[in-house]
Amino acid sequence: MDMLRFLGGRHPYPLGNQPGGRRGTTSSRIAWRRTLGLLLVGGFLQLAPLILADERTETVALVGATVHPVSGPSLEAGVILIEGETVKGIGVDLPVPAGYRSIDLGGKHIYPAFLHPGSVLGLAEVGSVRGSVDTNENGDLHPDLRAEVAFHADSRLLAPTRSGGVLHALVVPQGGLVAGTSALMRLDGWNWQEMTVRSPVGMHIHFPTFVASGRDSFRGPAKTQEEVDEERDQALDRLRDLFAAARAYGRAQKAQEETHGKSLLPPVVADAKLEALQPVLDGSIKVFLHARERQQIEAALKFVQKQEIEEAVLVTGADAADLAPRIAKLGIAVVLNGVLRLPDRSWQPYDSSFTAAARLYEELHKAGIPLAIGDGGERFSAANARNLPFHAAMAAAHGLPREAALRSITLGPARILGVDDRLGSLEVGKEASLLITDGDPLEITTTIEQVWLAGRALDLSEDPQRRLYERYRRRPLAQPEN
Amino acid sequence: MSRSCPWLHRACVSEAWVFGAWLSRPWVFGAYVFGACVLGAFATGAAADPEAWKSEIPEAPSSILVRGATIWTSGPRGLLENADMLVEDGKIRRIDLGLEAPKGAQVIEAQGLHLTPGLLDAHSHIAIDGSVNETSRTLSPEVRVLDVVDSEDVAIYRQLAGGTTVSNLLHGSANAIGGQNAVIKLRWGQLPEELIFEAAPPGIKFALGENPKKSNTRRPRPNHFPTTRQGIETQLRERFLAAAEYRRRWQEYRQGTSLPGTAIPGAPKPRTDLHLEALGEILDGVRKVHAHSYRADEILMLLNLAKDHGFRIATFQHVLEGYKVADEIAAHGAGASTFSDWWTFKFEVIDAIPYNASLMHQRGVLVSLNSDSAELGRRMNLEAAKAVRYGGMSPEDALKLVTLNPARQLGIDSRVGSLEVGKDADFVLWSGPPLSTRSLCLQTWIDGRSYFDRQRDAEDRRNWEAERQALIAKVRALDSADESGGS
């Protein structure tokens, strides 16, 4: 049976043939399994403590700036009251209560901080140095991998990312067919445990390629279409079998629980991979379907329907724009993974990657489905995660309404990641993570003057790139002979 | 030294090449996907004559008046509001306020629009047929991009659509000396030899650091030399000694110097060596060195090596630690062509900073920005905008990073790089300020000819779509005829 391949050996009995019955809920599962869960996949749905231990909470009023809350219209000469990590008040002519330190920001603009919908920040340091890269595990089926446990809290990439206004990122493992679970990370803190805002956010599935490129790649010589077809069919089979096994596993657990372990059947053998898929099956975490080309996307949509995935997110490219009505009809949220890209095919219009967001947005917006814009999310784009707003800006120049563009890197991803109750816009009760600028943050020439993360102004001079700049700016004039 | 005609060779080389290049044209490939059998017949008939696929050269109106634009001249006249530019016979004739349109002039009403010089990309790998590295030798100064310019690379059109008009086509960085460059004007639709920018002095690509020392190849290369920066230094030094020796022999031959140790006149004629010829041209100062480099140490190394051998480095390319030795680069007189903000993609660039362009500029280095990428190469204006963000360069100076400065580095600033009277009419019309992410490239002109027009592009798309649908219908009709006939 196929499943033996990923179970890594002989299984005591064929899970797929277990009697049916609805899958159990987390709370009703038997005790040993809970222990296993703690050991193997502990931290499911954990919400990390939000207060950094050594930060004194403060009450501050940001006064006089044009406030762009994203969730609503802009406020001229607005006031934002911040207590601790949280926005306590926002409005125009809001009286500043006693005890608040007032900061005058006349002429400035305030925006919510950007939220990156998919990156390997913290998992990859120097792209070409293998020892510094933890993005891709070997093997195909890794639902039990967790991104946050490899997140390098002191990565040199983080400070420049923060300076660019990106303060939270979904950190996503990259390898294989089922890559593992992502975690939403706050991009400043003392260690990954404290920086994890939510984990797991979603299970990441990469759909296999459908079309032979006809070109040699770094991975090897070009494959024929027949080879690609065969590999893809096998991969889709493995994916289907994995989900079937996970369902059977859940049913077996349930059955064992219902008979109070008195069944004559042998006990269910613990399996970390199948265990990790249970939150996917019971709908408690989302499924992120990575699919760029049209046929991949179609396969992903079919998968969502067949597997009855409750909350799916499509992480995709410009081809998705052609399938937008179907995606919208299925209610699937979309991460357009990169705008500043070449067209996927030589014959496509030069701006097909730039216009895709607008074409997608039209359909998604009608259906009330959020859109996020990413930057490709691969190893080499992590260092420039700070350029996320410029992907949105290019989409805006090519037909995406400007408010929608801003939303696609703030409230859009917050909704998709299920954290729009605390991130993505400036509203009472939400985290005070914001940017103070001298203009539109979608313009490259705009300066981000201050960055506030959870009610605290970050010291941007700590950015190592800034430090090198200041250091060499002060180098005494050298007069080499020549 | 006479050289064979690369174009002739290339045109004759194979029908497969012709078909492949032809296929890469967007509308052709699109149609191909849906109507392969129909087109196959066309291809067979046409493959013998590559010129059959040459586009019409865009017409050159005898005079063009761009009226009422905000003109970023990138020249001494700076920024001009509500100004006019007159083009005649492919050259800029006048830039002023309130110019009269000559009789029969094509008038472009540009009120509210912005006009800039065509953008230059000082480091590109587009339009090169096949690989950009000659990996069989560690040094390959004799190989030439000129021989493999692919005028049908769709990247050319895409760069035009972003306002780029000149690209410096360089070899890759696999070798310490990669080969000879080709500076092209993006005259889309013309033959390879028509793309070559005849005014550009010859150049050559050098590369230092991790790439030529093969640090990042998948398989270890135990027999490769060099594998250290020291090895690269000594390898280059040895080659320049050999080149100097080679030149001396030719000189002696030409002067009829006596044979060594004798009074017998007439030094023997040396054997022509293309490898050393190219290096000799560097020593003679006629071939410009464009050196891929990152770290301060290797930049200083090459400056010293050049000084020792009596030549000058034209540009350091990428030069991400250039800010650390900006004074030394400036004193040497070398230019620096850098990335706006790329860093940490490999170990030698962990100290790269986005302030590099601004800092080098502040210290007196002639700085440009380059793309090294078919994607970045179509938004060089937005790359320039990053110099405003990082280091506070003025917008006009920032635009020069992709106009006048690269033109000066490539030695073509008498022809392109700024909007000045007498220069080539290479210009771009933008919907707004060129450094704004809101602005779109509307029109791109080279030599007073329109090579990109956003409106025309939209019309082309509609026409191709109609053509595609017609082809699909035809194929379907054939299919259904086959089915009914075969049953």
Side-chain angles (χ1 to χ4, degrees):
Chain A
M1 182 155 180
D2 273 348
M3 91 179 65
L4 290 181
R5 262 182 292 160
F6 58 78
L7 293 174
R10 234 166 51 76
H11 208 269
Y13 57 85
L15 288 169
N17 294 340
Q18 276 295 297
R22 279 188 52 78
R23 54 185 183 252
T25 61
T26 307
S27 61
S28 69
R29 286 188 185 133
I30 50 178
W32 68 261
R33 206 183 138 215
R34 249 180 262 134
T35 317
L36 177 86
L38 282 172
L39 287 173
L40 290 174
V41 284
F44 265 1
L45 292 177
Q46 77 171 357
L47 295 178
L50 287 181
I51 296 167
L52 303 184
D54 73 332
E55 298 299 336
R56 202 163 45 85
T57 58
E58 209 192 356
T59 50
V60 188
L62 307 180
V63 180
T66 306
V67 178
H68 306 265
V70 172
S71 49
S74 299
L75 313 169
E76 297 286 338
V79 177
I80 300 178
L81 303 176
I82 299 170
E83 193 181 310
E85 297 202 329
T86 314
V87 174
K88 284 290 176 198
I90 182 166
V92 182
D93 299 328
L94 207 61
V96 177
Y100 274 74
R101 182 165 65 91
S102 202
I103 301 174
D104 179 28
L105 295 170
K108 306 294 178 198
H109 296 261
I110 301 182
Y111 291 86
F114 304 134
L115 200 170
H116 199 300
S119 175
V120 293
L121 275 167
L123 301 184
E125 196 70 12
V126 181
S128 72
V129 178
R130 266 178 66 190
S132 74
V133 177
D134 292 295
T135 55
N136 292 57
E137 190 49 84
N138 278 333
D140 237 6
L141 302 174
H142 287 297
D144 47 341
L145 290 189
R146 297 162 56 202
E148 68 275 21
V149 299
F151 185 86
H152 179 31
D154 275 330
S155 165
R156 285 165 51 99
L157 306 189
L158 298 186
T161 305
R162 293 191 299 261
S163 301
V166 179
L167 296 190
H168 297 87
L170 185 71
V171 174
V172 183
Q174 300 289 314
L177 199 56
V178 180
T181 56
S182 54
L184 178 62
M185 308 302 290
R186 175 185 280 192
L187 300 183
D188 188 32
W190 297 104
N191 57 57
W192 67 258
Q193 207 160 296
E194 288 181 3
M195 292 159 83
T196 306
V197 177
R198 171 170 288 187
S199 168
V201 171
M203 184 67 66
H204 290 259
I205 300 177
H206 296 266
F207 278 77
T209 190
F210 277 72
V211 182
S213 73
R215 282 192 299 272
D216 297 347
S217 73
F218 284 114
R219 290 170 194 278
K223 286 175 184 160
T224 64
Q225 187 61 49
E226 289 69 34
E227 287 168 326
V228 169
D229 288 347
E230 194 184 333
E231 283 181 22
R232 176 239 308 146
D233 287 344
Q234 286 174 359
L236 291 177
D237 284 351
R238 282 203 299 282
L239 187 59
R240 191 197 54 214
D241 291 347
L242 177 71
F243 270 69
R247 286 219 155 79
Y249 183 82
R251 284 198 299 271
Q253 304 280 6
K254 184 91 187 299
Q256 188 154 319
E257 181 187 351
E258 280 167 358
T259 56
H260 305 286
K262 287 175 193 149
S263 161
L264 292 177
L265 290 168
V268 178
V269 176
D271 185 290
K273 290 183 196 300
L274 302 182
E275 195 69 44
L277 281 164
Q278 299 310 309
V280 171
L281 298 177
D282 67 25
S284 56
I285 70 169
K286 302 195 180 201
V287 180
F288 286 69
L289 309 143
H290 295 250
R292 286 203 77 86
E293 49 183 48
R294 190 187 172 110
Q295 287 167 286
Q296 275 179 324
I297 299 168
E298 285 174 337
L301 299 182
K302 232 179 266 172
F303 182 83
V304 170
Q305 288 175 290
K306 273 223 167 118
Q307 296 293 338
E308 296 173 358
I309 307 286
E310 287 174 34
E311 291 209 70
V313 180
L314 184 66
V315 184
T316 190
D319 276 9
D322 298 333
L323 299 168
R326 264 175 72 191
I327 296 165
K329 204 170 158 201
L330 289 169
I332 297 175
V334 175
V335 176
L336 180 63
N337 206 11
V339 173
L340 300 171
R341 298 174 64 97
L342 286 172
D344 292 317
R345 298 165 193 87
S346 65
W347 50 268
Q348 288 179 315
Y350 71 91
D351 59 358
S352 57
S353 304
F354 303 156
T355 58
R359 290 182 283 143
L360 268 166
Y361 175 76
E362 211 177 313
E363 294 293 333
L364 297 180
H365 182 63
K366 275 189 281 184
I369 299 165
L371 168 73
I373 285 179
D375 65 359
E378 67 271 6
R379 185 189 304 184
F380 290 98
S381 55
N384 272 336
R386 58 185 167 193
N387 286 344
L388 179 69
F390 310 140
H391 287 260
M394 192 57 110
H398 290 82
L400 183 66
R402 290 196 81 79
E403 316 79 61
L406 188 59
R407 194 178 277 256
S408 73
I409 49 172
T410 53
L411 199 52
R415 273 183 69 193
I416 291 174
L417 307 183
V419 290
D420 52 322
D421 57 334
R422 29 211 295 226
L423 296 175
S425 61
L426 297 174
E427 292 176 81
V428 173
K430 286 201 181 184
E431 189 176 297
S433 290
L434 51 87
L435 316 175
I436 300 170
T437 72
D438 62 358
D440 178 359
L442 298 187
E443 288 286 11
I444 296 169
T445 49
T446 292
T447 303
I448 297 176
E449 295 177 355
Q450 295 183 41
V451 174
W452 287 57
L453 174 59
R456 185 171 61 94
L458 300 180
D459 180 359
L460 299 185
S461 70
E462 278 181 6
D463 180 337
Q465 295 200 316
R466 179 122 213 151
R467 282 217 298 259
L468 279 169
Y469 172 55
E470 296 298 343
R471 174 171 149 77
Y472 281 92
R473 208 148 71 115
R474 289 195 301 267
R475 182 188 172 203
L477 185 69
Q479 287 174 310
E481 53 174 297
N482 231 297
Chain B
M1 195 180 70
S2 80
R3 285 175 168 152
S4 66
C5 171
W7 322 120
L8 189 67
H9 169 71
R10 193 157 169 253
C12 300
V13 103
S14 76
E15 296 188 353
W17 169 79
V18 176
F19 182 65
W22 172 79
L23 198 61
S24 71
R25 289 200 164 186
W27 59 93
V28 173
F29 188 69
Y32 171 77
V33 168
F34 294 93
C37 52
V38 179
L39 289 170
F42 283 155
T44 329
D49 179 14
E51 296 220 18
W53 300 104
K54 186 178 159 177
S55 306
E56 289 281 308
I57 187 165
E59 64 165 321
S62 60
S63 55
I64 305 161
L65 183 69
V66 184
R67 194 142 60 186
T70 301
I71 303 184
W72 301 59
T73 65
S74 287
R77 297 177 67 186
L79 193 74
L80 303 168
E81 301 274 358
N82 196 21
D84 305 340
M85 181 173 82
L86 179 67
V87 171
E88 279 175 351
D89 304 324
K91 298 279 181 189
I92 298 168
R93 283 293 167 240
R94 285 189 72 185
I95 295 174
D96 236 317
L97 307 183
L99 290 179
E100 286 292 320
K103 210 172 163 213
Q106 178 176 341
V107 177
I108 302 170
E109 296 295 348
Q111 283 80 9
L113 305 181
H114 289 243
L115 184 71
T116 71
L119 309 185
L120 285 86
D121 186 351
H123 187 128
S124 171
H125 303 296
I126 65 163
I128 297 175
D129 199 22
S131 173
V132 297
N133 291 300
E134 176 47 66
T135 48
S136 66
R137 307 190 67 168
T138 55
L139 299 174
S140 53
E142 65 276 26
V143 302
R144 309 185 304 173
V145 171
L146 191 72
D147 295 328
V148 289
V149 171
D150 176 5
S151 62
E152 300 189 338
D153 181 355
V154 68
I156 295 173
Y157 185 73
R158 291 173 179 161
Q159 319 285 292
L160 283 169
T164 303
T165 54
V166 171
S167 297
N168 180 25
L169 308 189
L170 291 167
H171 281 98
S173 47
N175 312 7
I177 302 179
Q180 302 171 26
N181 72 335
V183 178
I184 62 169
K185 278 204 181 188
L186 304 183
R187 299 169 180 130
W188 174 242
Q190 307 306 299
L191 292 174
E193 64 267 36
E194 292 165 341
L195 265 56
I196 303 300
F197 191 8
E198 64 289 350
I204 191 164
K205 170 80 175 277
F206 278 31
L208 310 176
E210 288 184 22
N211 292 9
K213 78 192 184 85
K214 300 280 175 285
S215 307
N216 303 315
T217 51
R218 291 210 157 206
R219 288 176 297 279
R221 298 198 179 187
N223 299 322
H224 184 84
F225 176 84
T227 54
T228 65
R229 286 185 172 79
Q230 306 151 74
I232 290 169
E233 197 261 5
T234 188
Q235 189 184 38
L236 289 174
R237 207 171 272 283
E238 187 278 327
R239 284 290 82 193
F240 279 108
L241 289 174
E245 166 81 7
Y246 176 75
R247 272 163 81 246
R248 187 177 56 74
R249 289 218 183 135
W250 271 99
Q251 221 165 6
E252 288 174 356
Y253 164 69
R254 290 193 184 107
Q255 291 169 354
T257 310
S258 305
L259 290 172
T262 72
I264 309 165
K269 184 179 180 186
R271 182 179 152 185
T272 298
D273 181 329
L274 298 181
H275 184 93
L276 295 176
E277 281 287 333
L279 298 180
E281 287 168 5
I282 296 171
L283 294 176
D284 290 341
V286 297
R287 188 167 286 285
K288 284 171 165 282
V289 175
H290 303 292
H292 160 119
S293 52
Y294 289 112
R295 268 181 18 191
D297 50 87
E298 65 198 20
I299 295 165
L300 287 180
M301 176 277 280
L302 192 62
L303 287 175
N304 281 301
L305 187 145
K307 199 170 110 185
D308 292 350
H309 289 89
F311 68 94
R312 224 167 262 289
I313 304 298
T315 68
F316 286 95
Q317 296 284 321
H318 310 330
V319 61
L320 294 184
E321 284 193 9
Y323 68 94
K324 295 184 179 179
V325 286
D327 296 342
E328 286 79 359
I329 296 172
H332 179 88
S337 185
T338 185
F339 292 138
S340 62
D341 57 3
W342 286 99
W343 70 302
T344 301
F345 45 93
K346 49 184 166 170
F347 192 79
E348 63 187 350
V349 298
I350 56 171
D351 273 0
I353 59 174
Y355 304 91
N356 192 35
S358 288
L359 229 168
M360 288 193 293
H361 173 73
Q362 288 164 22
R363 308 288 286 220
V365 180
L366 177 63
V367 183
S368 71
L369 293 174
N370 69 58
S371 76
D372 201 8
S373 139
E375 202 283 307
L376 272 187
R378 64 208 193 113
R379 47 187 173 92
M380 295 307 291
N381 57 317
L382 298 183
E383 288 299 280
K386 287 174 183 165
V388 179
R389 164 172 281 218
Y390 299 108
M393 199 181 282
S394 77
E396 278 182 66
D397 279 346
L399 185 67
K400 282 184 195 169
L401 298 175
V402 294
T403 54
L404 185 62
N405 295 5
R408 287 175 62 194
Q409 291 176 345
L410 296 172
I412 48 179
D413 53 312
S414 65
R415 292 279 301 274
V416 295
S418 59
L419 298 177
E420 290 180 66
V421 172
K423 286 201 182 186
D424 295 2
D426 294 7
F427 60 89
V428 188
L429 212 52
W430 306 86
S431 64
L435 303 189
S436 168
T437 56
R438 294 171 185 249
S439 299
L440 294 172
C441 168
L442 301 178
Q443 294 181 19
T444 306
W445 293 69
I446 297 174
D447 305 326
R449 295 173 195 272
S450 167
Y451 279 90
F452 171 76
D453 183 309
R454 201 171 145 81
Q455 263 177 3
R456 200 171 59 221
D457 182 271
E459 283 164 28
D460 286 347
R461 282 186 211 181
R462 281 193 291 274
N463 293 338
W464 295 331
E465 182 58 24
E467 187 181 337
R468 196 182 76 138
Q469 294 301 338
L471 282 168
I472 292 171
K474 207 164 187 174
V475 171
R476 284 197 175 138
L478 286 173
D479 279 355
S480 56
D482 277 356
E483 277 163 27
S484 55
S487 59

